[in-house]
Amino acid sequence: MQGLSEKECAGLKNILSSMTAGDLMSLCDTVTNKMIVVENVTEAMETILSFSKNAEELLKRKKVYRDLIFKYLAKEGVTMSPNSEKHQLVKRTLELWSSMKVDEAKQPATSVLADTQGEVGFDPLVLAKQFCQWFFQLLNSQNPSLGQQPQEWGPQHFWPDAKLSLVSRTAIEQMDEYLGAELVSLRLLALTSGERLLFSPNLEPHGLRALASPHGLVLVAVAGTIHKDTVCLGIFEQIFGLICSPLAENSWKIKFVNLKIRGQEALGATEVAAPCLSFSPSELQLLCS
């Protein structure tokens, strides 16, 4: 696979695997000028990667549709406007691959993060960013419209007395509360698995905040957009309360989740591409005390 880095190969395989068999075979013919006959989609994929000069050339091919790249970025936790043109998505994907460290991408946040807590100068923002990358990748993987293998979701990621507060504001406002790891886990799962929503967090400074209390609770607040297929339905703001588990080494579990969802109709003409957090530091401080 000359010309492609390990990160580019992994990302391109991910995108190619979401193509239809017909499109994949057709793309293989184009890339090889019909000089190579392949027997199946696996061979087609390997051949396409082998014959592509670089990642940009392959991403720009007609059969690699804009929507496939958009969904790939959403899975990787990259916020893009639903109106982004294909060339913008290609540019952002190449940036992601050039900046991504393979080990970081593979390690779940729950094991990466706890190591840092005992160190001098523990930075809750580093924990917040890694936690959000892990959490939303895990939650989005449950969405059947992405056509990927769901990662291991379940009550094991929550404390037994976990609490979820869910406020949704579309035409009317509705608030629900769920208690216990099992119920909290099932309700969040229903958002992606049943309702087929995709969460795209904004991990830039204005979309992410973190706060650590002296008692070991870390608050993570994040804003982002919610999508269904390629339609942007609105924005969300979410606060997580995380506590490190003393029994399982290097493992953070979720103590509570406050999730606020606002549909497009409740937003008016507000720009939703990269939403900012509306929570003030004093509001977060109150939750931390």
Side-chain angles (χ1 to χ4, degrees):
M1 294 173 196
Q2 203 178 357
L4 297 175
S5 72
E6 192 182 338
K7 285 159 274 190
E8 288 169 341
C9 278
L12 287 165
K13 275 184 179 177
N14 205 314
I15 293 169
L16 293 174
S17 64
S18 58
M19 291 173 69
T20 64
D23 280 346
L24 206 55
M25 294 299 195
S26 169
L27 179 61
C28 188
D29 284 345
T30 307
V31 171
T32 64
N33 284 324
K34 297 190 176 177
M35 288 165 62
I36 306 282
V37 178
V38 294
E39 298 293 322
N40 52 49
V41 291
T42 307
E43 275 185 32
M45 210 181 293
E46 294 296 333
T47 305
I48 290 165
L49 292 173
S50 300
F51 277 75
S52 294
K53 289 194 198 82
N54 55 55
E56 185 175 9
E57 177 198 67
L58 181 49
L59 288 171
K60 285 182 172 175
R61 296 277 187 190
K62 274 185 186 169
K63 290 285 181 190
V64 183
Y65 300 124
R66 174 200 166 283
D67 291 0
L68 298 177
I69 305 173
F70 183 88
K71 281 186 178 179
Y72 169 76
L73 286 172
K75 275 194 290 188
E76 293 298 317
V78 177
T79 309
M80 292 295 287
S81 163
N83 305 323
S84 300
E85 292 179 16
K86 185 179 173 182
H87 71 90
Q88 294 170 308
L89 298 173
V90 168
K91 181 171 177 283
R92 187 65 189 91
T93 305
L94 295 170
E95 284 170 4
L96 174 71
W97 291 339
S98 66
S99 68
M100 216 165 118
K101 293 191 184 111
V102 177
D103 291 337
E104 271 182 12
K106 285 178 182 168
Q107 266 186 303
T110 42
S111 62
V112 175
L113 303 174
D115 287 341
T116 56
Q117 196 189 26
E119 291 172 11
V120 178
F122 161 64
D123 186 350
L125 201 57
V126 172
L127 174 113
K129 194 165 188 174
Q130 292 183 328
F131 169 78
C132 285
Q133 285 170 332
W134 167 80
F135 179 84
F136 289 106
Q137 212 175 342
L138 175 66
L139 187 60
N140 285 334
S141 77
Q142 314 303 317
N143 186 327
S145 64
L146 290 181
Q148 69 173 97
Q149 185 67 33
Q151 295 170 32
E152 197 182 336
W153 176 268
Q156 69 272 22
H157 301 303
F158 301 85
W159 287 94
D161 60 348
K163 182 178 175 183
L164 165 65
S165 170
L166 177 59
V167 177
S168 55
R169 192 182 301 156
T170 47
I172 54 164
E173 186 169 309
Q174 186 178 336
M175 181 179 169
D176 295 296
E177 286 197 340
Y178 303 85
L179 293 171
E182 192 72 43
L183 279 180
V184 171
S185 162
L186 286 172
R187 184 62 190 98
L188 289 170
L189 175 65
L191 294 172
T192 49
S193 174
E195 297 168 46
R196 294 180 175 237
L197 302 178
L198 260 184
F199 289 81
S200 185
N202 175 17
L203 302 183
E204 297 304 313
H206 57 281
L208 182 69
R209 281 201 199 110
L211 202 60
S213 85
H215 319 297
L217 175 73
V218 174
L219 280 189
V220 174
V222 63
T225 47
I226 296 184
H227 307 261
K228 193 166 187 176
D229 298 319
T230 53
V231 179
C232 180
L233 299 181
I235 66 174
F236 73 90
E237 285 187 274
Q238 197 157 359
I239 297 179
F240 298 91
L242 306 179
I243 298 177
C244 192
S245 170
L247 299 175
E249 194 187 349
N250 298 342
S251 176
W252 290 82
K253 290 193 178 188
I254 301 163
K255 181 75 171 172
F256 66 82
V257 184
N258 295 350
L259 174 57
K260 190 170 25 172
I261 294 173
R262 282 182 289 163
Q264 287 278 22
E265 58 271 48
L267 293 170
T270 314
E271 173 59 49
V272 298
C276 303
L277 278 168
S278 65
F279 300 110
S280 69
S282 56
E283 283 178 283
L284 291 180
Q285 195 75 54
L286 213 62
L287 280 168
C288 224
S289 55

